[in-house]
Coordinates of all heavy atoms in Angstrom, one line a residue:
M1 N 0.8 -1.2 0.0 CA 0.0 0.0 0.0 C 0.9 1.2 0.0 O 1.8 1.4 0.8 CB -0.9 0.0 1.3 CG -1.9 1.1 1.3 SD -3.1 0.8 2.6 CE -3.6 2.4 3.0
S2 N 0.6 2.1 -0.9 CA 1.4 3.4 -0.9 C 0.4 4.6 -1.0 O -0.7 4.4 -1.3 CB 2.3 3.4 -2.2 OG 1.5 3.4 -3.3
C3 N 1.0 5.7 -0.6 CA 0.2 6.9 -0.5 C 0.9 8.0 -1.3 O 2.0 8.3 -1.1 CB 0.1 7.3 1.0 SG -0.6 9.0 1.2
D4 N 0.1 8.6 -2.2 CA 0.7 9.7 -2.9 C -0.3 10.9 -2.9 O -0.3 11.7 -3.8 CB 1.1 9.4 -4.4 CG -0.1 8.8 -5.1 OD1 -1.2 8.8 -4.6 OD2 0.0 8.5 -6.3
H5 N -1.0 10.9 -1.8 CA -1.9 12.0 -1.6 C -1.1 13.3 -1.3 O -0.1 13.3 -0.6 CB -2.9 11.8 -0.4 CG -3.8 10.7 -0.7 ND1 -3.8 9.5 0.1 CD2 -4.8 10.5 -1.6 CE1 -4.8 8.7 -0.4 NE2 -5.4 9.3 -1.4
D6 N -1.7 14.4 -1.8 CA -1.1 15.7 -1.4 C -1.6 16.0 0.0 O -2.8 15.9 0.3 CB -1.5 16.8 -2.4 CG -0.8 16.7 -3.7 OD1 0.3 16.2 -3.7 OD2 -1.4 17.1 -4.7
L7 N -0.7 16.4 0.9 CA -1.1 16.8 2.2 C -1.7 18.2 2.2 O -1.1 19.1 1.7 CB 0.1 16.7 3.2 CG 0.6 15.3 3.4 CD1 1.8 15.3 4.2 CD2 -0.5 14.4 4.0
D8 N -2.8 18.4 2.8 CA -3.5 19.6 2.9 C -3.5 20.1 4.3 O -4.0 19.4 5.2 CB -5.0 19.4 2.4 CG -5.7 20.8 2.2 OD1 -5.3 21.7 3.0 OD2 -6.6 20.8 1.4
A9 N -3.0 21.3 4.5 CA -2.8 21.8 5.9 C -4.2 21.8 6.6 O -4.2 21.7 7.8 CB -2.2 23.2 5.9
E10 N -5.3 22.0 5.9 CA -6.6 22.1 6.5 C -6.9 20.8 7.2 O -7.7 20.8 8.2 CB -7.6 22.3 5.3 CG -9.0 22.6 5.8 CD -10.0 22.8 4.7 OE1 -9.5 23.0 3.6 OE2 -11.2 22.8 5.0
Y11 N -6.3 19.7 6.8 CA -6.7 18.4 7.4 C -5.6 17.8 8.3 O -5.7 16.7 8.8 CB -7.0 17.4 6.3 CG -8.2 17.8 5.4 CD1 -8.0 18.2 4.1 CD2 -9.4 17.9 6.0 CE1 -9.0 18.6 3.3 CE2 -10.5 18.4 5.2 CZ -10.3 18.7 3.8 OH -11.3 19.2 3.1
L12 N -4.6 18.6 8.5 CA -3.5 18.2 9.4 C -3.6 18.8 10.7 O -3.7 20.1 10.8 CB -2.1 18.5 8.7 CG -1.8 17.8 7.4 CD1 -0.6 18.4 6.8 CD2 -1.7 16.3 7.5
H13 N -3.5 18.0 11.8 CA -3.7 18.6 13.1 C -2.5 18.2 14.0 O -2.0 17.1 14.0 CB -5.0 18.0 13.8 CG -6.2 18.3 12.9 ND1 -6.8 19.5 12.8 CD2 -6.9 17.4 12.2 CE1 -7.8 19.4 12.0 NE2 -7.9 18.2 11.6
P14 N -2.0 19.2 14.7 CA -0.8 19.0 15.5 C -0.9 17.8 16.5 O 0.0 17.1 16.7 CB -0.6 20.3 16.3 CG -1.3 21.3 15.4 CD -2.4 20.6 14.8
G15 N -2.1 17.6 17.0 CA -2.4 16.5 17.9 C -2.2 15.1 17.3 O -2.0 14.1 18.0
D16 N -2.2 15.0 16.0 CA -2.0 13.8 15.3 C -0.6 13.5 14.9 O -0.3 12.4 14.4 CB -2.8 13.7 14.0 CG -4.3 13.8 14.2 OD1 -4.8 13.4 15.3 OD2 -5.0 14.3 13.3
V17 N 0.3 14.4 15.3 CA 1.7 14.3 14.8 C 2.6 14.0 15.9 O 2.5 14.6 17.0 CB 2.1 15.7 14.1 CG1 3.6 15.6 13.7 CG2 1.2 15.9 12.9
D18 N 3.6 13.1 15.7 CA 4.7 12.9 16.6 C 6.0 13.3 16.0 O 6.2 13.1 14.8 CB 4.8 11.4 17.0 CG 3.9 11.0 18.2 OD1 3.5 12.0 18.9 OD2 3.6 9.9 18.4
I19 N 6.9 13.8 16.8 CA 8.2 14.1 16.3 C 9.1 12.9 16.5 O 9.2 12.4 17.7 CB 8.8 15.3 17.1 CG1 8.0 16.6 16.8 CG2 10.3 15.5 16.7 CD1 8.5 17.8 17.5
L20 N 9.6 12.4 15.5 CA 10.4 11.2 15.5 C 11.9 11.5 15.9 O 12.4 10.9 16.8 CB 10.4 10.5 14.2 CG 9.1 9.9 13.7 CD1 9.3 9.3 12.3 CD2 8.6 8.8 14.7
E21 N 12.4 12.5 15.3 CA 13.8 12.9 15.6 C 14.2 14.2 15.0 O 13.5 14.7 14.1 CB 14.8 11.8 15.1 CG 14.8 11.7 13.6 CD 15.9 10.9 13.1 OE1 16.6 10.2 13.9 OE2 16.1 10.8 11.8
F22 N 15.2 14.8 15.6 CA 15.9 15.9 14.9 C 17.2 15.4 14.3 O 17.9 14.5 14.9 CB 16.2 17.0 16.0 CG 14.9 17.7 16.5 CD1 14.4 17.2 17.7 CD2 14.3 18.7 15.8 CE1 13.2 17.8 18.2 CE2 13.2 19.3 16.3 CZ 12.6 18.9 17.5
H23 N 17.6 15.9 13.2 CA 18.9 15.6 12.7 C 19.4 16.7 11.8 O 18.6 17.7 11.5 CB 18.8 14.3 11.8 CG 17.9 14.4 10.7 ND1 18.3 14.4 9.4 CD2 16.5 14.4 10.6 CE1 17.2 14.5 8.6 NE2 16.2 14.5 9.3
E24 N 20.6 16.6 11.4 CA 21.2 17.7 10.6 C 21.6 17.2 9.3 O 22.2 16.1 9.1 CB 22.4 18.3 11.4 CG 22.0 19.1 12.6 CD 23.2 19.8 13.2 OE1 24.3 19.9 12.6 OE2 23.1 20.4 14.3
E25 N 21.4 18.0 8.3 CA 21.8 17.8 6.9 C 22.5 19.0 6.4 O 21.9 20.1 6.4 CB 20.7 17.4 6.0 CG 20.2 16.0 6.2 CD 19.0 15.6 5.3 OE1 19.0 16.2 4.1 OE2 18.2 14.8 5.6
N26 N 23.7 18.9 6.0 CA 24.4 20.1 5.5 C 24.4 21.3 6.5 O 24.2 22.4 6.1 CB 23.9 20.6 4.1 CG 23.8 19.4 3.1 OD1 24.8 18.7 3.0 ND2 22.8 19.3 2.4
D27 N 24.6 21.0 7.8 CA 24.6 22.0 8.8 C 23.2 22.6 9.0 O 23.1 23.7 9.6 CB 25.6 23.1 8.6 CG 27.0 22.6 9.0 OD1 27.1 21.7 9.8 OD2 28.0 23.1 8.5
E28 N 22.2 22.0 8.4 CA 20.8 22.6 8.6 C 20.0 21.6 9.5 O 20.1 20.4 9.3 CB 20.1 22.8 7.3 CG 20.7 23.9 6.4 CD 20.2 23.9 5.0 OE1 19.8 22.8 4.5 OE2 20.0 25.0 4.5
L29 N 19.2 22.2 10.4 CA 18.4 21.4 11.3 C 17.2 20.9 10.6 O 16.5 21.7 9.9 CB 18.0 22.3 12.5 CG 17.2 21.5 13.6 CD1 18.0 20.4 14.2 CD2 16.8 22.5 14.7
H30 N 17.0 19.6 10.7 CA 15.8 19.0 10.1 C 15.0 18.3 11.3 O 15.6 17.9 12.3 CB 16.1 18.0 9.1 CG 16.6 18.5 7.8 ND1 15.9 18.3 6.6 CD2 17.6 19.4 7.5 CE1 16.5 18.9 5.6 NE2 17.6 19.6 6.1
V31 N 13.7 18.2 11.1 CA 12.9 17.5 12.0 C 12.1 16.5 11.2 O 11.6 16.7 10.2 CB 12.0 18.5 12.8 CG1 11.1 19.3 11.9 CG2 11.1 17.7 13.8
K32 N 12.0 15.3 11.8 CA 11.3 14.2 11.1 C 10.0 14.0 11.9 O 10.0 13.8 13.1 CB 12.1 12.9 11.1 CG 11.6 11.8 10.2 CD 12.5 10.7 10.0 CE 13.7 11.1 9.0 NZ 14.5 9.9 8.7
L33 N 8.9 14.0 11.2 CA 7.6 13.9 11.8 C 6.9 12.6 11.4 O 7.1 12.1 10.2 CB 6.7 15.1 11.4 CG 7.3 16.5 11.6 CD1 6.4 17.5 11.0 CD2 7.4 16.7 13.1
A34 N 6.1 12.1 12.3 CA 5.3 10.9 12.0 C 3.8 11.3 12.1 O 3.4 11.9 13.0 CB 5.6 9.8 12.9
L35 N 3.0 11.0 11.0 CA 1.6 11.3 11.1 C 0.9 10.4 10.1 O 1.4 9.8 9.2 CB 1.3 12.7 10.7 CG 1.5 13.1 9.2 CD1 0.8 14.4 8.9 CD2 3.0 13.3 8.9
P36 N -0.4 10.2 10.3 CA -1.2 9.4 9.4 C -1.7 10.3 8.3 O -2.1 11.5 8.5 CB -2.4 9.0 10.3 CG -2.6 10.0 11.3 CD -1.2 10.6 11.6
C37 N -1.7 9.8 7.1 CA -2.3 10.5 5.9 C -3.8 10.7 6.2 O -4.5 9.8 6.6 CB -2.2 9.7 4.6 SG -3.0 10.4 3.2
P38 N -4.2 12.0 6.2 CA -5.6 12.3 6.5 C -6.6 11.6 5.5 O -7.8 11.4 5.8 CB -5.7 13.8 6.3 CG -4.3 14.3 6.4 CD -3.5 13.2 5.8
E39 N -6.1 11.2 4.3 CA -7.0 10.6 3.3 C -7.1 9.1 3.5 O -8.2 8.5 3.3 CB -6.5 11.0 1.9 CG -6.5 12.5 1.7 CD -7.4 12.9 0.5 OE1 -8.2 12.0 0.1 OE2 -7.2 14.0 0.0
C40 N -6.0 8.5 3.7 CA -6.0 7.0 3.6 C -5.4 6.4 4.9 O -5.3 5.2 5.0 CB -5.2 6.5 2.4 SG -3.4 6.8 2.4
S41 N -5.0 7.2 5.9 CA -4.4 6.7 7.1 C -3.1 5.9 7.0 O -2.7 5.3 8.0 CB -5.5 5.9 7.9 OG -6.6 6.6 8.2
E42 N -2.5 6.0 5.9 CA -1.2 5.4 5.7 C -0.2 6.2 6.7 O -0.3 7.4 6.9 CB -0.7 5.6 4.3 CG 0.7 5.0 4.0 CD 0.8 3.5 3.9 OE1 -0.3 2.9 4.0 OE2 1.8 3.0 3.6
A43 N 0.7 5.4 7.3 CA 1.7 6.0 8.2 C 2.7 6.7 7.3 O 3.3 6.2 6.4 CB 2.4 4.9 9.0
L44 N 2.9 8.0 7.6 CA 3.8 8.8 6.8 C 4.9 9.4 7.7 O 4.7 9.7 8.8 CB 3.0 10.0 6.2 CG 1.9 9.7 5.2 CD1 1.2 11.0 4.8 CD2 2.3 8.8 4.1
E45 N 6.1 9.6 7.1 CA 7.2 10.3 7.7 C 7.4 11.5 6.9 O 7.6 11.5 5.7 CB 8.5 9.4 7.7 CG 8.6 8.5 8.8 CD 9.9 7.8 8.9 OE1 10.9 8.3 8.3 OE2 10.0 6.7 9.4
L46 N 7.5 12.7 7.5 CA 7.8 13.9 6.9 C 9.2 14.4 7.4 O 9.5 14.3 8.6 CB 6.8 15.0 7.2 CG 5.5 15.1 6.3 CD1 4.7 13.9 6.5 CD2 4.7 16.3 6.7
D47 N 10.0 14.9 6.4 CA 11.2 15.5 6.8 C 11.1 17.0 6.5 O 10.9 17.3 5.3 CB 12.4 14.8 6.0 CG 13.7 15.3 6.5 OD1 14.1 16.4 6.3 OD2 14.4 14.5 7.2
A48 N 11.2 17.8 7.5 CA 11.1 19.2 7.4 C 12.3 20.0 7.8 O 12.9 19.7 8.8 CB 9.9 19.7 8.2
K49 N 12.7 20.9 7.0 CA 13.9 21.8 7.3 C 13.4 22.9 8.2 O 12.4 23.5 7.9 CB 14.5 22.3 6.1 CG 15.8 23.0 6.3 CD 16.6 23.3 5.1 CE 16.1 24.7 4.5 NZ 16.8 25.1 3.3
V50 N 14.1 23.2 9.3 CA 13.8 24.3 10.1 C 14.3 25.6 9.5 O 15.5 25.7 9.3 CB 14.5 24.1 11.5 CG1 14.3 25.3 12.4 CG2 13.9 22.9 12.2
E51 N 13.4 26.4 9.2 CA 13.7 27.6 8.4 C 14.0 28.8 9.3 O 14.8 29.7 9.0 CB 12.6 28.1 7.5 CG 12.2 27.0 6.5 CD 13.1 27.1 5.2 OE1 14.0 27.9 5.3 OE2 12.9 26.3 4.3
S52 N 13.5 28.8 10.5 CA 13.7 29.9 11.4 C 13.5 29.5 12.9 O 12.8 28.6 13.1 CB 12.8 31.1 11.1 OG 11.5 30.8 11.4
V53 N 14.2 30.2 13.8 CA 14.0 29.9 15.2 C 13.8 31.3 15.8 O 14.6 32.2 15.7 CB 15.2 29.3 15.8 CG1 15.0 29.1 17.3 CG2 15.5 27.9 15.1
E54 N 12.6 31.4 16.5 CA 12.3 32.6 17.2 C 11.8 32.3 18.6 O 11.5 31.2 18.9 CB 11.2 33.4 16.4 CG 11.5 33.8 15.0 CD 10.3 34.3 14.3 OE1 9.3 34.5 14.9 OE2 10.5 34.5 13.1
E55 N 11.9 33.3 19.4 CA 11.3 33.2 20.8 C 9.8 33.0 20.7 O 9.1 33.7 19.9 CB 11.6 34.4 21.7 CG 13.1 34.4 22.1 CD 13.4 35.5 23.1 OE1 12.4 35.9 23.8 OE2 14.5 36.0 23.2
G56 N 9.3 32.0 21.4 CA 7.8 31.7 21.4 C 7.1 32.4 22.5 O 7.7 32.6 23.6
D57 N 5.8 32.7 22.3 CA 5.0 33.3 23.3 C 4.2 32.3 24.0 O 3.0 32.1 23.8 CB 4.1 34.4 22.6 CG 3.3 35.1 23.7 OD1 3.6 35.1 24.9 OD2 2.2 35.7 23.3
F58 N 4.8 31.4 24.8 CA 4.1 30.4 25.5 C 4.8 30.0 26.8 O 6.0 30.3 26.9 CB 3.8 29.2 24.7 CG 5.0 28.7 23.9 CD1 6.0 27.9 24.6 CD2 5.2 29.0 22.6 CE1 7.1 27.5 23.9 CE2 6.3 28.5 21.9 CZ 7.3 27.8 22.6
E59 N 4.1 29.4 27.7 CA 4.7 29.0 28.9 C 5.4 27.6 28.8 O 5.0 26.8 28.1 CB 3.6 28.8 30.0 CG 2.9 30.1 30.3 CD 3.7 31.1 31.0 OE1 4.5 30.7 31.9 OE2 3.6 32.3 30.7
L60 N 6.5 27.5 29.6 CA 7.2 26.2 29.7 C 7.0 25.7 31.1 O 6.9 26.5 32.0 CB 8.7 26.4 29.4 CG 9.1 26.8 27.9 CD1 10.6 27.0 27.8 CD2 8.6 25.7 27.0
P61 N 7.0 24.4 31.3 CA 7.2 23.4 30.2 C 6.0 23.3 29.3 O 4.9 23.7 29.7 CB 7.4 22.1 31.0 CG 6.7 22.3 32.3 CD 6.8 23.8 32.6
L62 N 6.2 22.7 28.1 CA 5.1 22.5 27.2 C 4.1 21.6 27.8 O 4.4 20.6 28.4 CB 5.6 22.0 25.9 CG 6.5 22.9 25.1 CD1 7.0 22.1 23.9 CD2 5.8 24.1 24.7
S63 N 2.8 21.9 27.6 CA 1.8 21.0 28.1 C 1.1 20.4 26.9 O 1.1 20.9 25.8 CB 0.8 21.7 29.0 OG 0.0 22.5 28.2
D64 N 0.4 19.3 27.1 CA -0.4 18.7 26.0 C -1.5 19.6 25.5 O -1.8 19.5 24.3 CB -1.0 17.4 26.4 CG 0.0 16.3 26.7 OD1 1.2 16.4 26.1 OD2 -0.2 15.3 27.4
E65 N -1.9 20.5 26.3 CA -3.0 21.3 25.9 C -2.6 22.2 24.7 O -3.4 22.7 23.9 CB -3.5 22.2 27.1 CG -4.1 21.4 28.2 CD -4.3 22.3 29.4 OE1 -4.4 23.5 29.3 OE2 -4.3 21.7 30.5
L66 N -1.3 22.5 24.7 CA -0.9 23.3 23.5 C -1.2 22.7 22.2 O -1.3 23.4 21.2 CB 0.7 23.6 23.7 CG 1.3 24.6 22.8 CD1 0.8 26.0 23.1 CD2 2.8 24.6 22.9
Y67 N -1.3 21.4 22.2 CA -1.4 20.7 20.9 C -2.9 20.3 20.6 O -3.2 19.7 19.6 CB -0.6 19.4 20.9 CG 0.9 19.7 21.1 CD1 1.5 19.5 22.4 CD2 1.6 20.3 20.1 CE1 2.8 19.8 22.5 CE2 3.0 20.6 20.3 CZ 3.6 20.3 21.5 OH 4.9 20.6 21.7
D68 N -3.8 20.7 21.5 CA -5.2 20.4 21.2 C -5.8 21.3 20.1 O -5.3 22.4 19.9 CB -6.0 20.6 22.5 CG -5.8 19.4 23.4 OD1 -5.2 18.4 22.9 OD2 -6.2 19.5 24.6
Ligands
LIG101 ZN1 -2.8 8.9 1.6

């Protein structure tokens, strides 16, 4: 079974996503995400490059409520 659905931000929810790992490629920070395809529920791995890092406006430690 394979999935070639285009991922639509409208159907992606932070609560459905797990962070698998951080890693570096060419001195750039990447983050690997695990999530189910919203269309077919296939297990997907996303590799995303971190484009920017800024101070966030939230309390630490992070709570699960942030992801609801
Ligand atoms: Zn799919």
Side-chain angles (χ1 to χ4, degrees):
M1 184 167 158
S2 66
C3 167
D4 56 4
H5 294 117
D6 286 330
L7 294 175
D8 188 332
E10 188 178 347
Y11 301 110
L12 298 172
H13 304 288
D16 295 334
V17 177
D18 271 343
I19 295 176
L20 294 177
E21 67 170 5
F22 292 96
H23 61 106
E24 289 188 10
E25 284 181 28
N26 306 319
D27 279 338
E28 293 171 324
L29 183 63
H30 285 238
V31 57
K32 194 170 282 188
L33 305 173
L35 72 161
C37 173
E39 299 240 16
C40 68
S41 295
E42 177 80 358
L44 301 178
E45 274 187 25
L46 272 65
D47 189 290
K49 188 172 85 175
V50 173
E51 299 279 2
S52 71
V53 178
E54 299 172 9
E55 287 187 23
D57 182 21
F58 48 77
E59 298 290 322
L60 292 177
L62 295 175
S63 72
D64 288 341
E65 294 168 26
L66 189 65
Y67 300 105
D68 284 347

